[in-house]
Amino acid sequence: MMLRIRYAAALAASVLTACAPALQFSPNDAPTVLAHQALDAPDPGQPGPYEVLTLYYGSGTDRNRPEYRDSVTITTEPVDASKLVDLGSSADERNDYWGFTPKEMPLNARVWYPDGAGPFPLVLVVHGNHNMKDFSDPGYDYLGELLASRGYILASVDENFINGGIREENDARGWFLLKHLGLFREWNEAAGNPVEGKGDMGNIVLMGHSRGGEAVANAAAFNDLTHYPDDASLTFDFGFDIKGIVSIAPVDGQYLPTGRKVVPENVSYLVFHGSHDGDVTSFHGLRIYDRLRFTDDDFHFKSAIYVYRANHGQWNSVWGAHDNGPRSGRILDLRTLIPGQDQRRFAEVYVSAFLETVLKGDERYLPMFRDHRVVGQWLPKTMYVTRYETSAFRPLATFEEDIDVTSGSVPGVTLRGDSLATWRESTLLLRSSNRNNTSASQENQAVWLGWNNRIAGADTTRMGPTAQFTLTLPDGLARSWALGAGSTLDLMLAPTESTPGPRADPDTTSRGEAGDGPRRPGRRPRGGDDDEKPPIDLSVEVEDAQGRTARVALSRYGPVRRPLKTTISMRRDLEEQRFQTLWELVLQTYSIPLGDFGAIDGHLDLQALRHVRLVFDRAVAGEVVVDQIGFSNLDPAFLSARVEQAGR
């Protein structure tokens, strides 16, 4: 228990340190925006102390892959995947090329592992869809070398035989991962096996790229089932201790069990996606992120990171920059991409930190999943948007429940807008749909809030009341949730490109004169797409039951950045045909320690909070989209009851 309490206390301290370094408040004003402190932890993207060993396992008979024919250290038996894989009209051609049918598909993988006794946490990675003859599994060698040196076993799983022009096979991709885990479970107990006793089967993470990024979510769901959802005659007996999953530029909805999306539960989740992905052209992993649920008493977290100027293929050293195949140079603007080694450097840093946190309980890395700036010294020089949530999060407003814009997500929580030009709830959209799903929806509701504090007319200094959006908490909620200085106020937000027009002049309109009049809410002011727009910022205010208030600037807790412009195609007309907008609306997470408000007013009663308020006082006009407003209770006593796997 003491180890768990120390872990929780350190976690709370790391969150507060990362979010609020060197606080210096004026009595009546918000704090000055200060530089973020670098994370007090070693670079997880650097090699560790272990020598790296490698081996292959597989059928020993593969006609196209000599490493799985001539170089296998461990020979594996084929598995019957015929209930999950339908080769359709290409069956004869494919079976002839590979030399086997879905009834006897191989379990092949290349493995990197530490030279040591172990046991070591186990990580499996699987590629996505690609030319089946351009083998994809060697492309994660950079992760294999790094992670094995840092004390992990990494197996890159071969599923090239279900690549190419077949569809709806992502159930099989996830199922194959679990069958490979079954091998390691057997080998761990097999005397004389090269990996005997080396695998820590209580600490497992699955990673996947592209279709593999959806497959790991499928695998996590299958892991808890007893029957295959689409044919119950196929039974499952998995039950592995999967602690986390990582999706790299994933698709979503390629596999729909019983016609519905997969909902992973009770695993930590990391997903990242490049803005200039020429294959999966929208951040579909956001939908998996939003569906994933935490329902048990363990500590879990999820993080989504949008990487500007990263593409689809450079996460794999084999695939490279040509997301649309050999003709990519004619179709895609490859000049805008960050170098492949930089893109893979990002993957090394974030994947390794995720594993250190989830599998080794090193809480020092948690802040980087909320705000990339704490590890900016380790990352490629580009822009990032980060989204983060833990199992300690309790929502006040998710905007999902009903069509009443004044109701929150908890009984008694009410919402109110004052002097707003835009106040509406709607579905967040992706930049484009994908090939397997005509929907361009993020499948997530949020609220749009627009404002212009200026009064219409020639006098541009005339301002009306400051626009605000207020959440009111019922009596006793803050106390029942045990809110305190160690809690955080969390929300997701992103500015849009829209700017409402000035407000109607109350003096002239009362006399029947139009004045300048307001622009239609949400309409962009005149000018081209390249017009420079002023920066957006706002204040966040809390108020207790006695009317005491404290206010901070949102920009202090993360960049408040307008949408990042993205042009993937070489020709503007192709861009306009393929995409709805020149940008994707990805919301950034902000976590504000309630202790920061208490530092402004020492008399503020955090256990009697009544109002949380967004105050649009730092930019004259603008529009933002807001979601997932709530609190995370990071009090050590609370976390010590939830963190089970860390600190052991």
Side-chain angles (χ1 to χ4, degrees), residues 383-398:
M383 291 182 283
Y384 304 87
V385 181
T386 51
R387 182 177 293 189
Y388 176 81
E389 184 179 306
T390 78
S391 49
F393 177 72
R394 305 181 79 166
L396 294 173
T398 65

Side-chain angles (χ1 to χ4, degrees), residues 223-379:
N223 189 55
D224 295 327
L225 300 180
T226 58
H227 294 76
Y228 175 43
D230 297 331
D231 185 345
S233 66
L234 177 60
T235 58
F236 294 160
D237 183 20
F238 298 122
F240 297 105
D241 287 330
I242 299 172
K243 295 295 196 298
I245 56 177
V246 180
S247 294
I248 304 171
V251 302
D252 179 53
Q254 201 265 0
Y255 170 58
L256 297 172
T258 68
R260 291 169 284 188
K261 296 286 184 71
V262 167
V263 180
E265 291 187 354
N266 302 323
V267 290
S268 290
Y269 183 50
L270 172 65
V271 58
F272 48 91
H273 197 102
S275 65
H276 287 63
D277 192 313
D279 186 358
V280 183
T281 53
S282 276
F283 198 165
H284 290 109
L286 293 177
R287 303 196 295 212
I288 302 174
Y289 175 100
D290 285 320
R291 292 199 303 273
L292 189 141
R293 295 286 179 265
F294 303 135
T295 61
D296 63 14
D297 291 330
D298 289 341
F299 177 79
H300 312 283
F301 72 94
K302 54 184 177 179
S303 178
I305 307 168
Y306 193 55
V307 185
Y308 193 56
R309 295 194 299 120
N311 82 330
H312 192 73
Q314 290 182 152
W315 306 115
N316 182 305
S317 60
V318 171
W319 291 5
H322 291 71
D323 289 352
N324 277 170
R327 297 180 64 248
S328 290
R330 302 181 195 175
I331 299 171
L332 303 178
D333 190 353
L334 305 180
R335 300 167 300 176
T336 62
L337 303 180
I338 60 175
Q341 64 268 26
D342 286 354
Q343 192 166 319
R344 290 186 286 276
R345 165 67 175 161
F346 169 89
E348 289 173 339
V349 169
Y350 265 91
V351 168
S352 179
F354 181 80
L355 300 180
E356 293 289 315
T357 306
V358 173
L359 298 181
K360 295 186 178 180
D362 193 337
E363 75 287 345
R364 293 175 297 173
Y365 294 104
L366 275 173
M368 65 185 279
F369 298 101
R370 174 188 299 101
D371 190 338
H372 71 277
R373 295 177 302 171
V374 301
V375 293
Q377 74 277 15
W378 300 335
L379 299 178

Side-chain angles (χ1 to χ4, degrees), residues 123-128 140 155 157 159 169-178 181 204-224 242-252 254-255 262-265 267-272 285 288-289 291-292 354:
V123 183
L124 267 58
V125 62
V126 65
H127 55 82
Y140 308 103
V157 172
E159 296 186 9
E169 83 300 335
N170 253 14
D171 48 350
R173 292 179 190 271
W175 178 81
F176 270 111
L177 287 174
L178 297 172
L181 287 180
I204 297 170
V205 161
L206 302 179
M207 292 196 297
H209 180 191
S210 193
R211 291 195 193 182
E214 181 188 24
V216 296
N218 298 339
F222 285 179
N223 189 55
D224 295 327
I242 299 172
K243 295 295 196 298
I245 56 177
V246 180
S247 294
I248 304 171
V251 302
D252 179 53
Q254 201 265 0
Y255 170 58
V262 167
V263 180
E265 291 187 354
V267 290
S268 290
Y269 183 50
L270 172 65
V271 58
F272 48 91
I288 302 174
Y289 175 100
R291 292 199 303 273
L292 189 141
F354 181 80

Side-chain angles (χ1 to χ4, degrees), residues 11 55 139 154 319 402 426 436 522 555 579 586 592 595 644 648:
L11 173 57
L55 64 82
L154 183 132
W319 291 5
D402 50 43
S426 188
N436 304 299
S555 58
F579 304 108
V586 181
I592 306 173
E644 296 294 336
R648 289 176 179 169

Side-chain angles (χ1 to χ4, degrees), residues 332-638:
L332 303 178
D333 190 353
L334 305 180
R335 300 167 300 176
T336 62
L337 303 180
I338 60 175
Q341 64 268 26
D342 286 354
Q343 192 166 319
R344 290 186 286 276
R345 165 67 175 161
F346 169 89
E348 289 173 339
V349 169
Y350 265 91
V351 168
S352 179
F354 181 80
L355 300 180
E356 293 289 315
T357 306
V358 173
L359 298 181
K360 295 186 178 180
D362 193 337
E363 75 287 345
R364 293 175 297 173
Y365 294 104
L366 275 173
M368 65 185 279
F369 298 101
R370 174 188 299 101
D371 190 338
H372 71 277
R373 295 177 302 171
V374 301
V375 293
Q377 74 277 15
W378 300 335
L379 299 178
K381 301 306 178 186
T382 187
M383 291 182 283
Y384 304 87
V385 181
T386 51
R387 182 177 293 189
Y388 176 81
E389 184 179 306
T390 78
S391 49
F393 177 72
R394 305 181 79 166
L396 294 173
T398 65
F399 311 101
E400 301 286 346
E401 293 79 17
D402 50 43
I403 61 173
D404 183 354
V405 297
T406 68
S407 65
S409 302
V410 174
V413 172
T414 60
L415 315 178
R416 186 181 75 249
D418 298 308
S419 304
L420 293 169
T422 309
W423 176 16
R424 63 182 176 87
E425 296 180 11
S426 188
T427 302
L428 285 160
L429 297 179
L430 296 168
R431 188 179 181 218
S432 66
S433 60
N434 63 353
R435 297 173 189 148
N436 304 299
N437 191 329
T438 57
S439 171
S441 169
Q442 291 190 26
E443 300 176 359
N444 180 33
Q445 294 283 120
V447 64
W448 273 249
L449 304 172
W451 73 97
N452 193 320
N453 293 327
R454 188 172 76 81
I455 302 297
D459 184 356
T460 60
T461 65
R462 291 186 66 199
M463 298 291 168
T466 301
Q468 301 181 357
F469 182 70
T470 302
L471 293 83
T472 298
L473 284 60
D475 286 337
L477 181 67
R479 187 172 300 278
S480 69
W481 284 8
L483 298 184
S487 307
T488 59
L489 170 60
D490 303 328
L491 60 97
M492 300 195 309
L493 178 146
T496 75
E497 290 285 26
S498 296
T499 305
R503 302 177 189 179
D505 187 332
D507 297 330
T508 59
T509 53
S510 67
R511 298 193 301 268
E513 299 175 17
D516 279 359
R519 293 189 183 96
R520 182 159 53 91
R523 177 177 290 178
R524 188 179 300 175
R526 291 178 183 177
D529 290 332
D530 296 328
D531 285 357
E532 185 174 348
K533 297 179 176 64
I536 293 291
D537 198 5
L538 58 132
S539 294
V540 180
E541 180 179 272
V542 298
E543 180 179 341
D544 67 14
Q546 289 72 42
R548 292 183 287 259
T549 63
R551 183 180 294 186
V552 299
L554 183 66
S555 58
R556 198 178 182 289
Y557 302 92
V560 187
R561 183 182 289 122
R562 291 185 185 273
L564 300 173
K565 297 288 179 63
T566 299
T567 304
I568 293 176
S569 300
M570 286 288 288
R571 290 165 43 189
R572 181 61 180 267
D573 60 326
L574 294 177
E575 191 83 18
E576 292 172 347
Q577 289 173 22
R578 293 187 67 191
F579 304 108
Q580 301 178 102
T581 63
L582 290 177
W583 40 267
E584 186 131 272
L585 193 60
V586 181
L587 276 56
Q588 167 77 37
T589 291
Y590 303 86
S591 292
I592 306 173
L594 293 186
D596 286 14
F597 297 105
I600 296 172
D601 184 346
H603 299 290
L604 187 71
D605 187 351
L606 296 176
Q607 289 208 341
L609 288 185
R610 289 301 311 278
H611 304 288
V612 173
R613 190 170 290 119
L614 305 182
V615 183
F616 300 103
D617 59 344
R618 294 178 173 268
V620 171
E623 184 182 68
V624 295
V625 181
V626 187
D627 196 12
Q628 294 293 109
I629 306 172
F631 295 105
S632 294
N633 195 336
L634 297 179
D635 180 81
F638 175 82

